[in-house]
Amino acid sequence: MEQRKLRKRGMLMFDRTAGSHVVELLKQWNVDHIYGMPGDSINELMEELRKVDIRFIQIRHEETGALAASAYSKLTGHIGVCLSIAGPGAIHLQNGLYDAKKDKTPVLAIVGQVTSTSVGTDVFQELKLESMFEDVSVYNRRVQTAEQLPDMLNQAIRAAYAEKGPAVLIVSDDLFSMKIKREKMLTSPEYTEPNIRAAEEDLMAALKLLETAKKPVILAGKGAQGATEDVLAFSEKLKAPIIASLPAKGMIPDTHPYNLGQLGQLGTEPAEQAMKQADLIILAGTAYPYREYLPDKAQAIQIDIDPRTIGKYYPATVGIVGDLGPALVWLSERLSEKDAGFLEEYRDKRTDWHQQLQEDINKQTEMLQPQQVIAEIQKIMQQDAVVSLDVGSITIWTAKYLQLTGQKLVLSSWLGTMGCGLPGAIAAKLAYPEKQAIAIVGDGGFSMGMQDFVTAVKYELPMIIVIFNNQKLQLIEDEQKKAGNKPTNVDLANIDYAAFAIACGGQGYTVKSRVELQDALSTAKAGKQPVVIDAYVEDISAIL
């Protein structure tokens, strides 16, 4: 009698739907929310999600969901998860998944497919999804049977973490509802992050270059995350100024006297000058791709955990494959004292540059100027805020004028996709509900996905969205002019964004002066709703 009870209990434990195993495994992987839109090829999974405490964030466009999943992963290091139906929903995911691929961050996309008995018959909404996702993914598989589903889910998530990119799991909806017996697991919901130690011979070779360098410059990338103190200590010992790639903005505080700012089109004059004079560059956790802004002949030390990036965009004299922090500590401990002349020269130039920026901010103008809007955002920005930055001329204004000292910045750095600002802010509030979320967007970028402002309202996600409204694609116009062409098709039909925000159930303010902007930001900071501030800014070039 007791044996029968045990068998029955075992059946109750293991004879469950494949979908129930999926949602349980997602919880074990610490997934607490999923972005998606319900539909006929994921309805069985939706039924299983309904029964658990994984929060389903219903977005109005799957691109928003994929971009938000990518932003969440960038901010937290945890996998972001999005969900779509077959056909059109799957197509909409592509932009956000490419953003995750290019910025090397783990995302899981669970993509519905037509019923398993219909695959290959060209029925309604059927596409060759495996082919469609092949280029964007680090893992791309269609589940053939319900029994495979739990183990393939574990494999997909593990691949996303290990290879730092999107994993795509394609599942016919009927498979989620099929009962399966799981008396033993083939895989487990576990992933261990490796600690990669650099080879000592490579460190010794780098040390020789550092000892002889007269004008070294550190170019720090997002690999500096978690290693800020090590980068600063290395800079102090080497007596080298620091330049931060845009994804690393804020990781090295913008107010630190050794930080010259960013490089390139959105960079600072001191950073550009220092890089031109450098006889040695240390690429610290970055694969900076813009060769035209790097020295012609300087030697280079590149430190990265991915051996594929060593020498990819600049000829590395010495490549060090390993975690950035420990490598810099090893080098700092063995470096002899260096002359500070080059560093002091650029500390002075940095001071002069910041004085020029402050003069730009302080000047009196009839219309709001972009740098003035950035300055007012600076005043209400909290120390632990998350800033979601869209793509366009606002990227340049923010890089130059916004000072990050402990805040997190999230953006589409490598793909550079417009429309990422709002999804990033949504992800920020879900990742850090108690922190201030600010989205800095242009009118072009915001209008690409503005429908999901209502998502922020629906889920009560307080955020401040500041739209730089100049009624044009400013950066595109600047680039057309720079190429010697006549600007064409860059003007945008205007939208009353404040009225739109109110229509969605949030708050909206139209501002055309600095006083109006200050009042709106002050009200928004104290509020508990999503807010759009439609700031009319003067039409001036971002490319100086």
Side-chain angles (χ1 to χ4, degrees):
M1 184 67 176
E2 181 63 20
Q3 184 69 19
R4 287 180 186 170
K5 286 182 180 178
L6 286 172
R7 284 193 188 125
K8 188 173 182 182
R9 194 173 298 144
M11 289 293 287
L12 289 172
M13 184 179 296
F14 296 113
D15 194 8
R16 297 162 33 195
T17 66
S20 69
H21 285 284
V22 166
V23 295
E24 181 59 35
L25 285 171
L26 288 173
K27 289 181 64 177
Q28 290 180 37
W29 281 104
N30 296 317
V31 173
D32 60 10
H33 72 282
I34 295 174
Y35 305 94
M37 174 70 77
D40 60 357
S41 52
I42 53 172
N43 279 335
E44 294 296 341
L45 179 57
M46 293 299 302
E47 172 62 15
E48 298 295 347
L49 285 169
R50 180 183 65 80
K51 302 171 185 176
V52 296
D53 58 353
I54 296 175
R55 195 176 184 189
F56 187 81
I57 305 299
Q58 180 208 67
I59 41 77
R60 296 300 182 92
H61 195 292
E62 290 88 353
E63 180 177 331
T64 300
L67 284 169
S70 178
Y72 176 83
S73 178
K74 294 174 194 178
L75 287 167
T76 66
H78 298 301
I79 195 163
V81 182
C82 53
L83 177 63
S84 84
I85 66 167
I91 293 169
H92 288 166
L93 291 178
Q94 290 274 25
N95 195 28
L97 296 184
Y98 269 109
D99 176 70
K101 177 185 179 178
K102 291 295 186 179
D103 283 352
K104 297 183 178 180
T105 199
V107 166
L108 171 68
I110 301 176
V111 182
Q113 180 57 292
V114 300
T115 58
S116 56
T117 55
S118 299
V119 173
T121 63
D122 200 21
V123 295
F124 177 67
Q125 291 192 333
E126 184 187 3
L127 297 175
K128 293 181 179 179
L129 296 179
E130 300 97 308
S131 299
M132 190 176 80
F133 287 110
E134 186 59 31
D135 182 62
V136 75
S137 59
V138 298
Y139 179 99
N140 175 33
R141 296 286 186 274
R142 180 170 74 85
V143 179
Q144 305 284 343
T145 68
E147 286 78 8
Q148 295 174 311
L149 184 49
D151 293 315
M152 290 181 72
L153 177 71
N154 282 338
Q155 291 172 1
I157 295 176
R158 193 176 296 109
Y161 275 119
E163 299 188 48
K164 295 181 171 56
V168 178
L169 199 62
I170 302 163
V171 191
S172 294
D173 193 36
D174 57 302
L175 299 184
F176 289 113
S177 63
M178 291 183 181
K179 296 286 186 70
I180 60 173
K181 294 181 181 180
R182 301 296 293 174
E183 296 183 3
K184 62 179 179 180
M185 295 292 290
L186 298 177
T187 61
S188 61
E190 297 289 338
Y191 173 70
T192 301
E193 187 74 28
N195 292 317
I196 303 173
R197 297 191 61 178
E200 187 163 335
E201 57 265 33
D202 295 334
L203 291 167
M204 288 297 298
L207 186 62
K208 291 180 181 179
L209 289 180
L210 293 169
E211 292 289 10
T212 59
K214 304 298 183 184
K215 297 179 179 180
V217 173
I218 300 166
L219 179 55
K222 69 175 185 177
Q225 189 165 13
T228 296
E229 295 305 317
D230 299 325
V231 174
L232 292 175
F234 178 68
S235 171
E236 173 67 35
K237 191 71 178 286
L238 184 60
K239 298 297 186 291
I242 304 169
I243 298 170
S245 70
L246 185 59
K249 183 177 174 64
M251 293 180 192
I252 310 299
D254 283 321
T255 54
H256 194 281
Y258 294 177
N259 186 353
L260 303 184
Q262 278 67 63
L263 189 64
Q265 189 182 58
L266 44 69
T268 70
E269 287 183 7
E272 181 181 357
Q273 293 169 6
M275 192 58 80
K276 285 181 178 178
Q277 290 192 35
D279 61 2
L280 175 67
I281 58 173
I282 298 92
L283 298 166
T286 181
Y288 187 81
Y290 304 108
R291 181 66 176 83
E292 64 270 28
Y293 296 111
L294 298 176
D296 291 333
K297 298 180 180 179
Q299 293 183 305
I301 298 167
Q302 186 170 0
I303 308 171
D304 205 286
I305 59 171
D306 185 354
R308 293 170 297 185
T309 67
I310 302 296
K312 186 173 182 180
Y313 298 105
Y314 191 86
T317 313
V318 174
I320 298 173
V321 178
D323 291 317
L324 179 62
L328 293 181
V329 169
W330 192 97
L331 292 168
S332 297
E333 289 174 347
R334 290 160 177 79
L335 261 175
S336 60
E337 288 297 323
K338 307 288 287 183
D339 181 78
F342 184 66
L343 175 61
E344 293 299 329
E345 175 187 352
Y346 277 93
R347 284 183 63 177
D348 293 341
K349 289 185 176 182
R350 177 191 178 278
T351 300
D352 294 341
W353 171 258
H354 280 275
Q355 288 176 350
Q356 292 178 37
L357 296 182
Q358 193 60 50
E359 290 172 5
D360 288 342
I361 289 169
N362 293 340
K363 67 182 179 183
Q364 299 297 314
T365 58
E366 288 186 17
M367 286 189 65
L368 270 173
Q369 293 196 343
Q371 73 273 15
Q372 296 167 344
V373 179
I374 294 291
E376 296 304 329
I377 293 171
Q378 185 88 54
K379 292 177 184 177
I380 62 96
M381 183 175 64
Q382 296 172 354
Q383 183 63 30
D384 63 349
V386 181
V387 177
S388 180
L389 178 59
D390 215 302
V391 171
S393 61
I394 40 93
T395 315
I396 297 177
W397 295 114
T398 301
K400 289 184 177 179
Y401 289 93
L402 189 68
Q403 300 288 295
L404 299 181
T405 55
Q407 299 85 0
K408 285 180 176 285
L409 177 70
V410 63
L411 74 159
S412 176
S413 61
W414 200 275
L415 186 61
T417 184
M418 292 173 66
C420 66
L422 174 58
I426 290 172
K429 288 305 293 184
L430 291 166
Y432 310 109
E434 303 306 316
K435 293 185 179 182
Q436 183 187 52
I438 300 173
I440 300 176
V441 302
D443 49 346
F446 183 70
S447 58
M448 282 190 170
M450 59 192 281
Q451 75 285 332
D452 269 293
F453 180 74
V454 78
T455 302
V457 174
K458 176 177 180 177
Y459 294 103
E460 299 179 345
L461 305 175
M463 61 182 63
I464 303 171
I465 300 171
V466 183
I467 301 173
F468 288 53
N469 188 344
N470 56 13
Q471 296 157 57
K472 65 170 52 182
L473 300 170
Q474 180 70 65
L475 185 59
I476 304 303
E477 180 180 79
D478 294 345
E479 290 170 346
Q480 289 176 350
K481 288 180 178 178
K482 189 175 181 180
N485 300 327
K486 184 177 180 179
T488 181
N489 291 314
V490 293
D491 294 329
L492 297 175
N494 196 29
I495 299 172
D496 189 338
Y497 296 105
F500 165 78
I502 294 169
C504 289
Q507 294 180 358
Y509 303 96
T510 299
V511 301
K512 296 184 178 180
S513 71
R514 200 157 183 172
V515 172
E516 290 177 344
L517 176 62
Q518 290 167 348
D519 290 343
L521 284 169
S522 178
T523 302
K525 181 182 178 181
K528 302 296 183 184
Q529 287 182 285
V531 179
V532 167
I533 297 176
D534 185 6
Y536 282 71
V537 295
E538 189 170 354
D539 173 15
I540 54 178
S541 174
I543 302 177
L544 304 178

